[in-house]
Amino acid sequence: MPPIPQGPIKLAILDDYQGIAAKHFESLKPTFEITTFHDTLPAFNNPSTPESLKQELITRLKPFTVISSMRERTPFPADLLNSLPNLKLLLTTGGRNAAIDMAAAKALGIPVTGAGEAGRTPSAAVDRKKRRGPDSTTQHCVALILGIARLLASDDRNVKNGLWETDLATGLSGKTFSTLGLGRLGGNVAKIMYQSFGMRILAWSSSLTQEGADEKAKALGLPVEEDGEKVFKVVSKEELFKEADVLSVHYVLSDRSRGIVGAEDLKLLKKSALFVNTSRGPLVDEDALLDVLENGSIRGAAIDVFAVEPLPLDSKWRTTQWGADGRSNVLLTPHMGYVEEETMNNWYEEQVGIVGRWHKGQDLLNVINL
C-alpha cells in the first residue's frame, strides 16, 4: 500500500444526486477535507465530450487523494486515471463497475473497492440476511413492467389534465415473458412473473443451456416442468424476441455484450410487445430502439438505463411526445433500479469504513481490482 498522505487528506464525493452522502463522511473530519459534488460532468470517454469538458473534469478531480464514486455515474477510463496523480484510493459501490478501467487503476497502484455484502460490517450482514423478498432492482423492474402495461404514468398525467380512460391497459396473465439473461436478476424477475401472473417464461443468453435453466428454477424453489413444459424454457435468441409479450433485458455489460440487442432483434418483436431494460443502456442499440418506438412498431417500452447518463436535456427520450401520433408508449426512470434509501445509506457507511481502514494502513475490504 502506498504511503498515506499527512492530513488533511482531500476526499471527493461524486454524483451525490440526493444529497445524502455528506452526513456519513462527517466522522472522517478533520483528518479528511471533504468536498461533495452533486452534479455529473459529461463522461470523459464519451466521443461527444469536448476536450474542454474533459479538462474541466480533470481539474475538478486532480486535487483529491480519495474519491467516492457511485456505481457508473462517473466513468474512470485509463486516460482519466492517468491524469489524477494524487489519487490513492477509489471507492465505488456494488461488486463490479464496468465504467472503471480496473487494469489501469491496478497498474497505477490505486485500489478500487466496492460496497456490498462482502464489505459489510457483521451486524449489517446479519440484518441483511433477515430481510425477505426481492432486491431493489428486481422490485423496480416489476414496477416498470406493471407501469407500462397498465399505463400508470400516462393515466396519471391524463386524469390530472381533465381526461378519462384514454387508452387500454395490457394484461399480463398467461402471456409470454422473455428474459434476455437468466442470472440473479433475470431469474428473480422471471420467478415473480411466473408465480404472480402465470406467465410462460422463455430465456436466452449466449451460454445458457436448458440444464442450467432447470438448475436455476430449482434454486428459486420452482418446479422444473409444469404441464409437460419447462418452467424456464431455453430458446433461440430469435424465438425469444418473436414470442415475447414482455421482453426484459437482464445481462451484464461487457465488451462482448455491448449492443447485444440490435435493430434486427427489435424488428422481431410483436406489435403488441413491451420492451424493458433495467440492466445497462449500452446493451441495446439505442438509436434502433428509438426508431422502433418513434414508428410505433411495438406497444411500449419501460427504460431505466441509457447510453449516456444523466440524459442530456435535448435527448430524444426527453423531448419526444411519446404515446402520441402513432408513437409507442414510453415509461422512463433515471437509473433508479438500485437507488433505494436503505441501500444507498448502507453503501456510504461501508465506504466510510473502508476509508478508515485505508487511513490506518489495514487490509482493505472488497477490493475489486486485485
Side-chain angles (χ1 to χ4, degrees):
M1 181 179 292
I4 306 300
Q6 298 302 306
I9 302 169
K10 292 183 180 293
L11 184 153
I13 303 169
L14 305 187
D15 312 317
D16 181 18
Y17 299 157
Q18 292 85 11
I20 64 169
K23 63 184 179 184
H24 298 286
F25 287 81
E26 281 293 314
S27 62
L28 297 176
K29 294 179 178 178
T31 304
F32 288 82
E33 178 185 315
I34 298 167
T35 303
T36 302
F37 298 98
H38 300 291
D39 63 327
T40 298
L41 292 176
F44 194 90
N45 54 345
N46 190 302
S48 65
T49 301
E51 194 63 33
S52 61
L53 287 179
K54 292 182 180 182
Q55 289 304 313
E56 184 178 345
L57 182 58
I58 291 172
T59 300
R60 171 182 283 194
L61 301 183
K62 198 168 187 177
F64 296 101
T65 301
V66 179
I67 293 177
S68 161
S69 67
M70 177 54 66
R71 299 296 287 258
E72 294 95 345
R73 291 177 181 176
T74 292
F76 285 86
D79 287 348
L80 177 57
L81 289 168
N82 282 318
S83 301
L84 305 178
N86 297 312
L87 184 59
K88 300 295 185 290
L89 174 64
L90 180 55
L91 309 162
T92 186
T93 52
R96 63 169 72 94
N97 188 330
I100 298 174
D101 189 323
M102 297 294 177
K106 183 177 181 180
L108 291 166
I110 303 169
V112 180
T113 62
E117 192 167 1
R120 291 180 180 275
T121 61
S123 60
V126 169
D127 289 344
R128 181 180 175 85
K129 289 177 183 177
K130 289 180 180 178
R131 294 176 60 184
R132 298 181 60 191
D135 59 273
S136 175
T137 304
T138 298
Q139 293 177 48
H140 194 72
C141 183
V142 174
L144 285 177
I145 294 169
L146 294 176
I148 191 62
R150 308 306 302 188
L151 301 174
L152 297 185
S154 55
D155 275 353
D156 173 76
R157 181 179 62 250
N158 290 338
V159 170
K160 289 174 179 175
N161 285 311
L163 302 175
W164 194 258
E165 289 195 18
T166 57
D167 208 341
L168 298 169
T170 299
L172 299 174
S173 297
K175 294 187 178 178
T176 298
F177 177 81
S178 290
T179 176
L180 188 82
L182 193 64
R184 179 177 61 87
L185 293 173
N188 287 345
V189 176
K191 176 182 178 180
I192 291 171
M193 305 317 291
Y194 168 79
Q195 288 187 319
S196 299
F197 298 94
M199 296 190 80
R200 172 179 175 237
I201 308 300
L202 303 182
W204 177 88
S205 77
S206 61
S207 60
L208 182 63
T209 63
Q210 187 59 61
E211 182 181 6
D214 292 346
E215 289 300 317
K216 173 65 73 172
K218 287 191 285 187
L220 290 169
L222 300 176
V224 170
E225 293 188 4
E226 184 177 63
D227 298 329
E229 185 168 344
K230 295 291 187 180
V231 168
F232 288 171
K233 183 180 178 181
V234 177
V235 296
S236 68
K237 190 181 182 188
E238 180 179 0
E239 186 177 350
L240 188 85
F241 280 80
K242 277 186 174 180
E243 295 292 319
D245 292 301
V246 178
L247 189 293
S248 191
V249 180
H250 298 284
Y251 228 84
V252 174
L253 178 62
S254 67
D255 290 339
R256 288 181 58 194
S257 64
R258 189 176 298 271
I260 196 166
V261 178
E264 295 305 311
D265 301 310
L266 295 168
K267 287 177 183 177
L268 298 173
L269 291 171
K270 303 173 186 176
K271 174 79 171 177
S272 59
L274 302 172
F275 182 87
V276 182
N277 188 6
T278 54
S279 291
R280 292 295 183 272
L283 291 166
V284 180
D285 181 334
E286 190 166 86
D287 289 337
L289 178 58
L290 283 165
D291 284 344
V292 164
L293 298 171
E294 288 177 321
N295 292 325
S297 300
I298 63 175
R299 183 166 177 80
I303 308 296
D304 185 50
V305 290
F306 306 90
V308 177
E309 298 180 6
L311 277 178
L313 294 179
D314 61 353
S315 165
K316 283 187 178 181
W317 290 114
R318 293 186 187 265
T319 60
T320 302
Q321 190 176 355
W322 298 113
D325 301 322
R327 289 182 286 272
S328 303
N329 292 304
V330 173
L331 177 61
L332 305 178
T333 53
H335 204 152
M336 292 294 290
Y338 66 92
V339 187
E340 195 172 71
E341 183 175 8
E342 183 179 2
T343 300
M344 297 285 284
N345 282 306
N346 283 342
W347 280 345
Y348 281 129
E349 279 297 316
E350 290 178 45
Q351 287 191 348
V352 170
I354 289 169
V355 173
R357 294 179 69 90
W358 173 80
H359 186 250
K360 294 173 184 176
Q362 298 174 346
D363 290 341
L364 296 178
L365 298 173
N366 212 18
V367 178
I368 57 177
N369 68 327
L370 291 173

